[in-house]
Amino acid sequence: MDTQTLRTTCSYCSVGCNVDLAIAEDGKVSLRPNKEYPVNQGFVCPKGFHLLTPFASELRGTTPLVKTDGGFSEISWKEANTRFAQGFKGVMERHGRDAVAFLSTGQLPTEEMALLGAFAKFGMGFMHGDGNTRQCMATAAVAYKQSFGFDAPPFTYKDFEESDLMVFVGANPVINHPVMWQRVQKNCNNPKIYVVDPRRTETVDAKITTGHFQIAPKSDLHFFYALSRVLIENDWIDRAFIENHVDGFEEFRSHLNELSMSELVSVCDIPEQRIREFADEIHGAKAASLYWTMGVNQGHQGVRIAQSLINICLITGNIGKPGTGPNSITGQANAMGSRLYSNTTSLFAGYAFTEEAHRRKIAEILDIPVDAIPDRNSLPYNEIVEKVKTGDIRGLWIIATNPIHSWINKSDFFEAMENLEFLVVQDLYPGTETAEYADLYLPAAGSAEKSGVFINSERRLGIVQKAMEPPGEAKSDFDIFLGLAEAWGCGEMFREWTDTEAVFRILQRTSKGRPCDITGIEGYQMIIDNKGVQWPFPENNPDLGTQRRLFEDGVFYTPNGKAKILFEAFAELPEKTDSEFDTVLITGRGSIFQFHTQTRTGKVPFLNKKSEPANYVMLNESDATRIGVKEDDMVKITSRQGSATVAARIGQVMKPGQVFMPMHYMETNYLTFPVFDTYSRQPGYKYAVVKIEAV
Ligand SMILES: Nc1nc2c(c(=O)[nH]1)N[C@H]1C(S)=C(S)[C@@H](COP(=O)(O)OP(=O)(O)OC[C@H]3O[C@@H](n4cnc5c(=O)[nH]c(N)nc54)[C@H](O)[C@@H]3O)O[C@H]1N2
Ligand SMILES: Nc1nc2c(c(=O)[nH]1)N[C@H]1C(S)=C(S)[C@@H](COP(=O)(O)OP(=O)(O)OC[C@H]3O[C@@H](n4cnc5c(=O)[nH]c(N)nc54)[C@H](O)[C@@H]3O)O[C@H]1N2
Ligand code: SF4
Ligand SMILES: [Mo]
């Protein structure tokens, strides 16, 4: 018999599904999708269904571990905390505060991220800290901030049901945001659905998908500028909206007019006539919406590409109304939380480290000395890795991310790790590729073993509740951070940070008057009762509705209230194919059953059974014939960075001259080419040139 049922939010992708956890008298916990939650309405995908299995794995870390000559030895928390403090203090004394950094994640509850950010930057005096959100969402965050004045994805999931034309750009929601795709399937307007992707993905093949623009890799800017030009030429635009709410239209129009249409269409490899017809369909739509994910964010010109989608919505007035919007779909369960409250690229609630007034404000709210707040920005992730390589960074703390597997062109990272004097890794498992390098490993609790909130793609705060105890001496990241703060000697700074809900209240105070204001939320119980709450939700908010979209009044967060059209000349491709490296390698997600570096999904027998046991490369039949390989034959793929030998998967997903490898296996990131967007510094995982041979 159940004694208690708790609701919690799935900790894989950013859809933010809620599940009920029924706790039996003997402590056994069982899971079922929540029927009333507006996000998932009774559904979950297979990862969510097996959410709890990885937490029960025998491979969990149960005590802190310290590296010894022969491997690792168990130590007490007391000793681990002392070693942590001594280790980082030693590095800082020898090499200064710029010689240490942390790398965190979009997978912790918001309160834990906030405590980590505050402890590392204000308590320990770290100057540098970034997270895997850089690998994932930095482009969208910067694009929105530049265009709207704040990092604010405008949509609500209801928009999937209200649009009559939807465009998915560099996004494969059928496998990556499956329950979100179910919302698209619920749309009763018989919507047109287009996919812009160099691959013929599961989303392209979905029954309800109307068409596919199989553009050349990294040619999105050409495609969307061509589309914008046709819209403007035909006057298929919303002049009144532009006049009242948009800056930069005339400059954009002149820029587009200087481009050669024939060049645009030849680069993106889509016939001009199709682009003209597509523009006409957008013009004819009552409510058009554009969604994007990693095919856009992970590129050398990602920010401008994201803005090319934003621009289309701005010039056609497809924003602030049901079924519209330039909508970035986020990645990890709490990507949005880390964008707002991780204290990495910005201070809490989007305030800036570099503004004195902002530092004062946060110091006052947190009741800490203003001098405790760094007045410089952190180095971005890629520069932290560079500095580790050059020996300028000597101490690194990695929390809830597995960069030895997931970082771009990571042979670099291995090299870099050798230079570290002190590496601490905090994870559920001591056996991750990264934790194996650690001098000190700290065993953390997983999402069902702790509390807090995640913020999903539609800005909805969803509850995370503790339904079970972590194994052995593993502790929530929250309790780990508090223990470390005591050992460091700055525990006093966190006296008010007693539990996650207390931290939630502190974060509410930082949000007051900001676009992401959440001061109206009475507490966790309200998040539970109201089935999640979307920001903004300021005090005295009369609107308790379950759906909320931004910019309904056409007022943006810029100083003059207008959105900005931003555009740019085309940048050169980071690498060019030549007679030797004649093929383009694209990387991304391989299946609905696998999550990232598989530390969690790899421990679920059902998901494993459904996944490929080893890495593979997808290639076109014609390429397979040319190099003389059949299905399952081994092929060697070589880039200018490294090489890998994997099985061939032959079919029509890829165009000739392009191949795809999933990110879920170690080999893939030996091959990727390290290029970063100019503004967001997000890695361009989706484009490297390779050669491919039979072995
Ligand atoms: N099953 C599963 N679901 C997940 C995850 C997972 O690991 N597994 N991870 C979560 C996370 S953190 C994220 S960030 C999301 C990612 O979700 P998605 O962005 O959907 O995932 P990807 O497969 O990385 O990339 C999407 C598509 O971009 C395309 N693409 C590559 N290059 C280009 C290009 O130049 N232009 C265009 N237009 N498209 C291009 C690829 O072919 C690919 O189909 O998924 C989340 N959900
Ligand atoms: N080639 C290629 N590489 C890519 C991408 C790509 O498309 N192509 N995509 C990039 C993207 S978008 C992303 S988001 C990254 C993801 O890359 P990573 O962040 O490295 O991937 P994960 O496997 O999710 O690693 C998360 C780690 O956190 C641990 N963990 C989970 N929950 C908790 C917790 O509550 N506390 C603690 N302490 N630990 C926890 C897990 O066990 C796991 O080891 O990969 C990037 N790498
Ligand atoms: S769609 Fe995403 S949030 Fe929903 S159950 Fe699957 S992994 Fe979890
Ligand atoms: Mo991601």
Side-chain angles (χ1 to χ4, degrees):
M1 227 180 75
D2 297 350
T3 51
Q4 197 188 4
T5 300
L6 296 175
R7 211 176 64 218
T8 199
T9 306
C10 173
S11 53
Y12 285 111
C13 90
S14 62
V15 173
C17 299
N18 267 28
V19 292
D20 293 323
L21 301 178
I23 308 166
E25 264 169 17
D26 61 1
K28 268 222 170 88
V29 184
S30 57
L31 173 152
R32 55 178 176 263
N34 184 283
K35 288 211 171 74
E36 280 89 47
Y37 203 62
V39 167
N40 54 310
Q41 304 167 349
F43 294 98
V44 283
C45 82
K47 291 184 297 304
F49 192 74
H50 294 277
L51 178 69
L52 304 178
T53 314
F55 302 137
S57 162
E58 286 177 358
L59 299 171
R60 286 289 297 276
T62 53
T63 61
L65 301 172
V66 66
K67 186 167 260 160
T68 53
D69 287 344
F72 288 95
S73 311
E74 296 185 355
I75 53 171
S76 67
W77 273 110
K78 188 159 184 277
E79 185 171 354
N81 291 346
T82 308
R83 279 179 186 254
F84 177 94
Q86 281 172 349
F88 281 116
K89 280 186 175 168
V91 176
M92 289 169 89
E93 273 156 26
R94 288 190 295 279
H95 309 288
R97 72 187 290 200
D98 281 295
V100 288
F102 68 92
L103 293 173
S104 76
T105 187
Q107 291 176 43
L108 297 181
T110 310
E111 298 81 349
E112 295 192 334
M113 285 174 183
L115 176 55
L116 166 62
F119 169 48
K121 290 206 159 170
F122 310 153
M124 297 170 78
F126 275 33
M127 187 55 79
H128 307 299
D130 203 354
N132 63 7
T133 328
R134 180 77 63 177
Q135 298 165 303
C136 184
M137 301 317 312
T139 290
V142 172
Y144 280 135
K145 200 167 170 193
Q146 290 181 348
S147 297
F148 296 161
F150 197 81
D151 173 17
F155 69 129
T156 179
Y157 291 167
K158 189 92 180 128
D159 290 320
F160 288 118
E161 294 167 29
E162 291 175 330
S163 234
D164 60 352
L165 189 149
M166 282 176 264
V167 191
F168 290 87
V169 187
N172 191 9
V174 167
I175 67 162
N176 297 326
H177 299 91
V179 174
M180 195 181 264
W181 184 254
Q182 298 200 338
R183 300 295 295 270
V184 178
Q185 288 172 318
K186 285 195 171 165
N187 185 310
C188 299
N189 302 328
N190 193 20
K192 290 182 176 147
I193 299 172
Y194 289 97
V195 178
V196 182
D197 195 308
R199 299 190 306 136
R200 190 174 141 186
T201 59
E202 291 84 350
T203 307
V204 173
D205 280 341
K207 235 194 244 142
I208 55 170
T209 297
T210 315
H212 180 200
F213 293 99
Q214 197 164 11
I215 61 169
K218 295 293 142 229
S219 69
D220 301 69
L221 208 52
H222 295 79
F223 179 76
F224 287 105
Y225 283 0
L227 189 63
S228 300
R229 182 155 139 176
V230 177
L231 288 166
I232 295 170
E233 263 172 20
N234 289 289
D235 209 17
W236 291 337
I237 54 177
D238 186 337
R239 285 192 171 277
F241 187 82
I242 295 170
E243 185 90 356
N244 294 321
H245 305 290
V246 179
D247 274 338
F249 174 71
E250 282 310 324
E251 294 84 342
F252 185 44
R253 192 223 299 260
S254 330
H255 180 76
L256 296 177
N257 282 340
E258 280 161 24
L259 304 175
S260 141
M261 195 66 180
S262 60
E263 200 186 318
L264 294 180
V265 300
S266 95
V267 171
C268 66
D269 204 17
I270 303 292
E272 183 172 337
Q273 190 50 32
R274 277 201 75 199
I275 297 181
R276 291 194 175 278
E277 286 161 11
F278 188 35
D280 197 5
E281 288 190 83
I282 292 177
H283 172 58
K286 285 198 199 74
S289 49
L290 282 74
Y291 304 86
W292 81 87
T293 320
M294 291 308 118
V296 169
N297 284 355
Q298 294 172 340
H300 61 288
Q301 217 171 1
V303 169
R304 291 294 181 251
I305 295 174
Q307 286 163 339
S308 73
L309 310 184
I310 294 174
N311 296 346
I312 286 182
C313 293
L314 290 176
I315 63 177
T316 58
N318 274 299
I319 191 160
K321 294 182 287 205
T324 65
N327 304 323
S328 150
I329 301 170
T330 58
Q332 303 165 84
N334 201 18
M336 193 71 230
S338 79
R339 283 151 74 167
L340 291 173
Y341 294 108
S342 64
N343 215 24
T344 52
T345 47
S346 68
L347 274 168
F348 296 130
Y351 283 112
F353 283 104
T354 48
E355 301 270 338
E356 193 185 338
H358 292 190
R359 292 197 301 278
R360 286 197 180 285
K361 177 130 206 162
I362 291 294
E364 194 186 314
I365 296 170
L366 302 186
D367 193 20
I368 59 171
V370 68
D371 302 349
I373 303 182
D375 58 2
R376 284 186 278 143
N377 282 324
S378 163
L379 291 172
Y381 201 137
N382 64 309
E383 289 181 37
I384 291 177
V385 174
E386 277 308 307
K387 296 271 183 205
V388 175
K389 259 171 53 186
T390 55
D392 292 306
I393 287 183
R394 299 286 182 128
L396 191 61
W397 180 17
I398 296 178
I399 307 100
T401 182
N402 188 12
I404 284 288
H405 184 136
S406 60
W407 185 243
I408 197 161
N409 176 28
K410 66 190 174 189
S411 35
D412 266 18
F413 215 102
F414 284 108
E415 243 173 71
M417 290 292 189
E418 301 295 325
N419 294 331
L420 288 172
E421 290 172 21
F422 192 52
L423 172 65
V424 179
V425 177
Q426 186 166 323
D427 202 288
L428 306 185
Y429 312 103
T432 71
E433 289 88 350
T434 307
E436 284 184 355
Y437 279 77
D439 297 299
L440 178 66
Y441 161 78
L442 305 176
S447 67
E449 300 161 344
K450 55 189 182 183
S451 61
V453 299
F454 288 154
I455 311 180
N456 78 354
S457 283
E458 54 168 355
R459 311 178 319 283
R460 183 181 300 272
L461 284 76
I463 198 76
V464 175
Q465 297 201 81
K466 177 172 173 171
M468 50 216 236
E469 289 299 327
E473 290 172 35
K475 303 200 267 192
S476 69
D477 293 275
F478 193 84
D479 287 341
I480 296 176
F481 300 138
L482 283 183
L484 295 172
E486 288 301 329
W488 191 270
C490 62
E492 206 47 49
M493 195 179 256
F494 302 103
R495 285 294 169 254
E496 203 197 325
W497 303 54
T498 47
D499 56 69
T500 59
E501 195 159 6
V503 173
F504 183 74
R505 299 211 182 281
I506 295 171
L507 297 179
Q508 285 185 296
R509 300 203 305 257
T510 68
S511 79
K512 191 176 167 69
R514 304 290 289 165
C516 57
D517 195 326
I518 46 170
T519 49
I521 300 176
E522 282 156 20
Y524 285 174
Q525 195 56 45
M526 183 172 178
I527 297 178
I528 297 168
D529 295 342
N530 199 47
K531 305 185 181 78
V533 180
Q534 285 169 286
W535 67 256
F537 197 85
E539 271 168 317
N540 308 320
N541 194 329
D543 175 13
L544 266 171
T546 55
Q547 304 292 333
R548 194 182 307 269
R549 88 174 50 76
L550 301 179
F551 311 129
E552 286 181 325
D553 54 2
V555 179
F556 295 86
Y557 304 119
T558 50
N560 70 358
K562 290 187 173 186
K564 281 199 193 106
I565 292 192
L566 291 158
F567 56 90
E568 201 168 73
F570 303 115
E572 289 277 305
L573 276 173
E575 272 196 303
K576 295 231 164 71
T577 47
D578 58 23
S579 53
E580 189 187 0
F581 296 98
D582 57 358
T583 300
V584 172
L585 168 69
I586 295 173
T587 71
R589 275 92 195 137
S591 79
I592 194 173
F593 307 104
Q594 293 166 295
F595 192 73
H596 295 166
T597 73
Q598 299 202 81
T599 64
R600 283 193 283 159
T601 50
K603 295 184 178 67
V604 183
F606 172 82
L607 301 178
N608 268 337
K609 217 164 53 203
K610 295 279 197 179
S611 307
E612 298 268 0
N615 208 344
Y616 57 92
V617 62
M618 296 173 98
L619 66 164
N620 185 274
E621 280 168 354
S622 64
D623 287 333
T625 310
R626 179 171 56 84
I627 61 169
V629 291
K630 302 184 303 302
E631 184 79 2
D632 286 338
D633 283 356
M634 298 305 277
V635 292
K636 184 174 176 196
I637 304 155
T638 310
S639 76
R640 296 193 177 100
Q641 291 64 248
S643 72
T645 301
V646 300
R649 292 279 173 273
I650 300 163
Q652 293 297 337
V653 170
M654 305 307 296
K655 269 190 171 174
Q658 296 168 26
V659 297
F660 174 82
M661 286 174 74
M663 64 164 297
H664 311 295
Y665 309 87
M666 267 296 270
E667 297 85 3
T668 302
N669 276 320
Y670 285 118
L671 306 176
T672 42
F673 180 77
V675 65
F676 304 90
D677 177 85
T678 316
Y679 307 98
S680 72
R681 312 309 292 154
Q682 181 161 341
Y685 286 108
K686 300 245 177 304
Y687 190 97
V689 304
V690 295
K691 61 181 167 185
I692 172 156
E693 305 155 281
V695 290

